[in-house]
Amino acid sequence: LPIFNGKVTDRSGLSGALMQLSNQSTNTKDGVSNIQVNIDADARAPHQAVMSALEAARDANLSNIVFSSQTKK
């Protein structure tokens, strides 16, 4: 399940939260939101969960996406 600001949510909740942030954000001069979406998924994360997060960001018109990774220990 996606986690947004430390709280577990579903795809619908994530979309709604990102839309709200996008609507409240300050846009740069070219009209693009200055919000950065960080997606942090380990090897156990289902591919569909990552795709859902990307789709939620796209639906909110957010294009500054960062993927985090961790080194194996």
Side-chain angles (χ1 to χ4, degrees):
L1 287 176
I3 298 176
F4 180 77
N5 283 344
K7 297 179 183 173
V8 176
T9 186
D10 58 10
R11 165 69 165 84
S12 173
L14 180 61
S15 284
L18 290 177
M19 285 281 219
Q20 186 175 21
L21 278 175
S22 180
N23 291 336
Q24 295 172 356
S25 77
T26 311
N27 291 335
T28 60
K29 63 182 176 184
D30 57 359
V32 177
S33 174
N34 59 358
I35 293 176
Q36 178 175 305
V37 176
N38 295 310
I39 297 177
D40 186 9
D42 63 16
R44 295 173 298 182
H47 180 261
Q48 186 58 50
V50 175
M51 294 307 299
S52 291
L54 282 169
E55 290 167 0
R58 181 198 61 208
D59 292 347
N61 224 15
L62 301 172
S63 59
N64 187 4
I65 312 293
V66 176
F67 287 92
S68 303
S69 64
Q70 294 180 348
T71 57
K72 289 186 177 185
K73 295 181 181 181

